[in-house]
Amino acid sequence: MHARGEQLLATVVRNELVAAGARTPVSLDLLVVCVVGAFMGLLRAWVDGETAATPVELDAALRAAVEPGVRAALGQE
């Protein structure tokens, strides 16, 4: 079940990045893995009670971790 959810999320992330202008396939695949992995890691920690962070705090942490790579892939450094 988790693997299928991650596949679906990866497809959405990849499509959004391509639509936003990301053009490098190898780097794009790695970026998708990083974004999905970071999201799933935070989600698991929250669901398992390993963090008391609020959804707003989780969102901020995810953005801080992945936005630099996404911006670089889009040429928005």
Side-chain angles (χ1 to χ4, degrees):
M1 179 68 166
H2 290 274
R4 180 69 180 140
E6 287 183 40
Q7 289 172 344
L8 291 171
L9 183 57
T11 298
V12 170
V13 169
R14 181 177 288 104
N15 290 344
E16 290 292 322
L17 288 169
V18 169
R23 300 276 185 246
T24 54
V26 173
S27 297
L28 179 61
D29 288 342
L30 294 175
L31 181 60
V32 169
V33 169
C34 291
V35 171
V36 171
F39 175 80
M40 294 304 295
L42 283 173
L43 182 61
R44 282 188 197 108
W46 185 66
V47 168
D48 291 345
E50 296 172 12
T51 181
T54 67
V56 170
E57 292 169 326
L58 293 172
D59 180 61
L62 180 66
R63 288 175 184 275
V66 303
E67 273 188 12
V70 169
R71 288 186 187 283
L74 297 175
Q76 300 175 354
E77 303 174 61

